[in-house]
Amino acid sequence: EIVLTQSPGTLSLSPGERATLSCRASQSVDSSYLAWYQQKPGQAPRLLIYGTSSRATGIADRFSGSGSGTDFSLTISRLEPEDFAVYYCQQYGYSPATFGQGTKVEIK
Amino acid sequence: EVQLLESGGGLVQPGESLRLSCAASGFTFNTYGMNWVRQAPGKGLEWVSGLNPGATNTYYADSVKGRFTISRDNSKNTLYLQMNSLRAEDTAVYYCVKPLPVGRWLQAYDYWGQGTLVTVS
């Protein structure tokens, strides 16, 4: 199965700053099949990005995704207070679908 | 509005069984493959199982193969997960998830239930 490694484990930033999260795959993933989720404490994950760069319904345009092959990233252009959460990448190009271990974005 | 409502979680002893249910509404349930994803306490996400709209094809993670059975009742818009021979490592919140409305089996999940906690101890 494809292993996704996210970095950094924790990102400490202030509101208004730019956040860049990385997701590296153990083998090449079709860029059509890479997603990002946000999870807040006590809540279910929420789909942010699919197909590497397509925003899900209702997702603010400060969230953007990019990448190809084995290296993908999620960028939050200007952090809002509600953006402090854990973020997971997912590949769904190969079965089984797999998730990264998560990056926590915390308030500095 | 899409809603996924899980139930059936609880505390069981190792070796026992549990059946989870997921009541779906707000979309045409019988046209979507459905999945279960779990999250152990303080840990990441793990896909567990899925099946196609007609329930003719089922899929399992290696960690649950032979112990868990996924099924659905399209007349009741309900997804199930029968969990047998439960182990401590099955302790997790179990989420029912709906894939994006694209025909491909493997998909991102655009709707998640609130989850139901299974504790094996």
Side-chain angles (χ1 to χ4, degrees):
Chain A
E1 73 180 42
I2 294 179
V3 175
L4 300 178
T5 302
Q6 293 186 239
S7 61
T10 301
L11 199 50
S12 298
L13 295 168
S14 301
E17 290 193 295
R18 181 185 187 90
T20 302
L21 288 65
S22 173
C23 176
R24 177 163 289 178
S26 60
Q27 64 187 75
S28 184
V29 174
D30 188 317
S31 60
S32 298
Y33 307 129
L34 194 289
W36 290 90
Y37 299 83
Q38 176 194 67
Q39 186 177 34
K40 298 179 181 179
Q43 296 184 16
R46 178 175 69 143
L47 178 65
L48 297 176
I49 300 286
Y50 63 94
T52 294
S53 59
S54 297
R55 276 186 297 276
T57 302
I59 300 304
D61 60 7
R62 64 180 180 275
F63 292 93
S64 63
S66 63
S68 64
T70 60
D71 293 307
F72 298 87
S73 62
L74 172 71
T75 299
I76 310 171
S77 59
R78 285 176 53 86
L79 282 164
E80 297 288 341
E82 62 268 28
D83 299 336
F84 292 91
V86 178
Y87 293 82
Y88 295 95
C89 58
Q90 176 209 15
Q91 70 79 24
Y92 49 101
Y94 297 92
S95 182
T98 52
F99 296 87
Q101 83 282 11
T103 290
K104 182 180 181 180
V105 178
E106 65 175 22
I107 299 176
K108 186 174 181 179
Chain B
E1 178 191 5
V2 171
Q3 290 194 347
L4 299 168
L5 186 60
E6 303 97 336
S7 60
L11 173 63
V12 296
Q13 295 185 343
E16 293 187 338
S17 298
L18 211 54
R19 189 198 199 199
L20 306 183
S21 298
C22 171
S25 61
F27 65 103
T28 310
F29 181 73
N30 63 7
T31 65
Y32 284 85
M34 294 293 293
N35 295 265
W36 291 95
V37 172
R38 70 184 179 183
Q39 185 172 35
K43 302 297 183 181
L45 302 166
E46 179 189 18
W47 172 81
V48 173
S49 182
L51 81 173
N52 66 337
T56 54
N57 296 313
T58 57
Y59 308 87
Y60 299 96
D62 287 344
S63 57
V64 307
K65 200 171 294 183
R67 300 187 298 121
F68 289 13
T69 302
I70 191 171
S71 62
R72 63 193 297 163
D73 185 338
N74 286 339
S75 68
K76 296 181 178 179
N77 287 356
T78 302
L79 178 72
Y80 303 101
L81 186 67
Q82 177 68 42
M83 304 185 295
N84 298 333
S85 303
L86 283 161
R87 306 167 179 168
E89 54 265 35
D90 296 318
T91 294
V93 173
Y94 285 74
Y95 294 102
C96 169
V97 296
K98 171 192 165 295
L100 283 168
V102 181
R104 188 174 179 271
W105 158 244
L106 286 171
Q107 266 303 339
Y109 310 126
D110 60 352
Y111 286 94
W112 298 59
Q114 86 290 347
T116 187
L117 176 62
V118 172
T119 303
V120 185
S121 177

